[in-house]
């Protein structure tokens, strides 16, 4: 998987290959990477977002030391393609688990035979830049019985690969919530504003900041923003058995990967609702509280109201493994039921409780 904005002049290069381990400074002091394709090994502890800083910094360091390309061998299932670790300072590529085992095996055999110095890699890459792409937000409103305040609910609709977990599951839950509150018997007091936002993965196309700028009256009335982002992907862990070639298979759990509940103002009322959600609906929230509003939630900061973000960090995030089979159907239901409860409680609460400690 080539990582943007990789480009190879002449669209092809051939160079010696060198294995650099995790490419830490202590390792690189022993290794001369000049004029070579450097192969670094990445073992994600959960999803690759947690490895971004070290992997990209190490790749940049490799280019500074003279490498002509960097290959990241990522311990992931099969030969899935992974999108993370872009902007690494030169032509960078991710290699999936099985091909990674093969490549590292070839380097080991060549080293044992004393011929590692003769090993070459040829990389071909055609690139194209596209301009004028468009993405649109979709907005739907369920009027409340009082019109002076609203709750904004957001799920981003763009994604990489099949995007089942980032963020088709979040969009599915958003639509289930809309269906529930659209029934006359479930009419909320505060107006519900549903935003299916675009441009999350390609900044500049559209998204929450544009929604706020283009709908000032609707946005300024909000009492709370809720961002639903990756909420029902199943957990994944390495299997115990290791194949003869060293490749480790993976197994999925029946339940969901852990979910972080970020509450920007750490309101005790809102955090209490999270704890009740675990007890009532079995939602797999992590135990530690958080004030994060990463992802799409951060686009609403200008409103100055509490932002609540529900977000998973599953291992297949941003990979071609994000297929529908990785989504937990009971997990979708757990999250939809919990959020209907959460929104109904927030809707009944006075502003001071939502904002208070
Ligand atoms: Zn996302």
């Amino acid at each position: 998987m080539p990582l943007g904005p990789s480009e190879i002049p002449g669209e092809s290069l051939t160079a010696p290959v060198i294995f650099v381990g995790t490419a830490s400074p202590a390792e690189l002091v022993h290794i001369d990477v000049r004029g070579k394709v450097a192969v670094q090994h990445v073992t994600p502890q959960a999803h690759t977002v947690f490895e971004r800083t070290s992997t990209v910094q190490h790749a940049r360091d490799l280019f500074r030391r003279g490498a002509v390309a960097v290959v990241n061998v990522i311990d992931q299932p099969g030969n899935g393609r992974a999108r993370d670790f872009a902007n690494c300072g030169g032509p960078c590529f991710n290699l999936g688990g099985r091909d990674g085992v093969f490549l590292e095996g070839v380097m080991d055999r060549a080293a044992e035979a004393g011929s590692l110095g003769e090993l070459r890699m040829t990389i071909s890459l055609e690139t194209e830049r596209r301009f004028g792409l468009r993405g649109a937000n979709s907005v739907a409103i369920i009027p409340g019985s009082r019109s002076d305040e609203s709750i904004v609910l957001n799920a981003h609709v763009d994604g990489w690969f099949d995007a089942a977990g980032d963020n088709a599951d979040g969009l599915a839950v958003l639509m289930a919530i809309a269906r529930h509150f659209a029934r006359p018997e479930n009419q909320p007091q505060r107006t519900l504003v549903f935003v299916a936002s675009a441009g999350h993965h390609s900044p500049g196309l559209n998204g929450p900041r544009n929604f706020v700028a283009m709908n000032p009256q609707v946005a300024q009335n909000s009492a709370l923003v809720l961002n639903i982002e990756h909420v029902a992907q199943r957990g994944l862990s390495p299997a115990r058995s290791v194949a003869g070639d060293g490749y480790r298979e993976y197994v999925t759990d029946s339940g969901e990967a852990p979910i972080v509940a970020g509450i920007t103002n750490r309101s005790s009322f809102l955090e209490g609702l999270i704890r009740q959600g675990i007890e009532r609906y079995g939602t797999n929230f992590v135990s530690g509280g958080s004030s994060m509003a990463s992802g799409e939630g951060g686009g609403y900061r200008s409103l100055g109201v509490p932002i609540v973000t529900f977000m998973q960090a599953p291992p297949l995030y941003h990979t071609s493994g994000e297929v529908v089979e990785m989504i937990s159907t009971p997990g979708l239901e757990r999250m939809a039921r919990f959020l209907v409860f959460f929104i109904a409680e927030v809707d009944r609460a006075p502003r001071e409780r939502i904002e208070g400690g």
Side-chain angles (χ1 to χ4, degrees):
M1 178 78 192
L3 304 174
S6 290
E7 277 179 296
I8 296 178
E11 297 188 345
S12 182
L13 69 81
T14 299
V17 192
I18 191 148
F19 185 64
V20 297
T22 66
S24 67
E27 287 167 296
L28 293 187
V29 80
H30 304 291
I31 304 172
D32 182 4
V33 299
R34 278 173 295 178
K36 297 173 186 161
V37 176
V39 178
Q40 68 168 333
H41 193 102
V42 184
T43 305
Q45 299 303 310
H47 78 49
T48 47
V49 72
F50 299 123
E51 320 300 331
R52 266 183 211 163
T53 307
S54 62
T55 303
V56 172
Q57 271 174 9
H58 289 174
R60 288 177 172 271
D61 194 18
L62 288 163
F63 285 113
R64 268 195 300 274
R65 291 166 187 260
V68 293
V70 171
V71 174
N72 304 313
V73 170
I74 309 177
D75 286 333
Q76 280 197 318
N79 269 328
R81 295 194 292 153
R83 171 67 183 65
D84 277 353
F85 313 139
N87 296 307
C88 60
C92 274
F93 303 84
N94 287 338
L95 206 55
R98 276 198 184 276
D99 279 350
V101 165
F102 172 78
L103 175 61
E104 290 183 2
V106 167
M107 289 188 288
D108 283 343
R109 296 287 286 276
E112 282 164 358
S115 55
L116 188 59
E118 294 157 44
L119 195 64
R120 299 274 184 284
M121 184 185 286
T122 296
I123 303 174
S124 302
L125 178 67
E126 290 174 30
T127 53
E128 178 193 348
R129 284 172 190 266
R130 296 187 185 176
F131 301 92
L133 304 178
R134 298 198 308 173
N137 295 331
S138 300
V139 181
I141 289 176
I142 296 176
S145 53
R146 43 181 279 209
S147 60
D148 57 329
E149 281 188 353
S150 64
I151 298 170
V152 176
L153 301 103
N154 188 99
H156 76 76
V157 293
D158 59 321
W160 304 119
F161 304 106
D162 280 14
D166 173 14
N167 186 30
D169 53 352
L171 178 64
V173 168
L174 185 81
M175 292 182 67
I177 297 167
R179 208 167 276 158
H180 173 84
F181 285 105
R183 293 201 191 103
E185 66 270 28
N186 298 329
Q187 189 194 17
Q189 295 175 35
R190 293 187 172 100
T191 292
L192 299 184
V193 181
F194 296 83
V195 182
S197 58
H200 176 64
H201 294 88
S202 305
L205 284 184
N206 222 312
R209 281 177 191 81
N210 229 9
F211 163 77
V212 172
M214 293 176 73
N215 304 274
Q217 316 90 310
V218 179
Q220 297 305 336
N221 280 345
S222 59
L224 181 120
V225 174
L226 187 67
N227 177 39
I228 308 166
E229 188 166 353
H230 332 152
V231 287
Q233 200 174 123
R234 293 162 70 176
L236 183 86
S237 32
R240 283 201 199 125
S241 63
V242 178
D245 62 359
Y247 172 73
R248 189 184 287 270
E249 216 24 288
Y250 288 75
V251 290
T252 52
D253 305 330
S254 56
E256 299 82 67
I259 306 163
V260 173
I263 300 172
T264 51
N265 67 342
R266 300 292 307 269
S267 143
S268 56
F269 163 65
L270 297 173
E271 291 198 336
L273 295 179
I274 304 297
R275 283 192 296 277
Q276 287 183 60
I278 297 169
E279 289 162 14
R280 293 172 65 134
Y281 304 99
T283 38
N284 193 23
F285 291 125
V286 300
S287 55
S290 167
S291 61
M292 74 92 182
S294 64
E296 211 66 340
Y300 290 98
R301 280 197 197 275
S302 65
L303 296 178
V305 298
I307 303 166
V308 179
T309 300
F310 297 107
M311 193 175 201
Q312 273 182 324
L316 293 181
Y317 163 92
H318 286 187
T319 76
S320 56
E322 264 199 57
V323 293
V324 71
E325 289 81 1
M326 279 304 295
I327 300 302
S328 161
T329 304
L332 286 172
E333 186 171 336
R334 265 191 276 279
M335 186 51 73
R337 286 181 184 278
F338 161 71
L339 280 174
V340 164
F341 157 78
F342 184 88
I343 293 158
E345 292 293 319
V346 169
D347 184 41
R348 275 193 286 273
R351 194 80 182 249
E352 312 82 69
R353 280 203 92 191
I354 299 170
E355 289 181 349

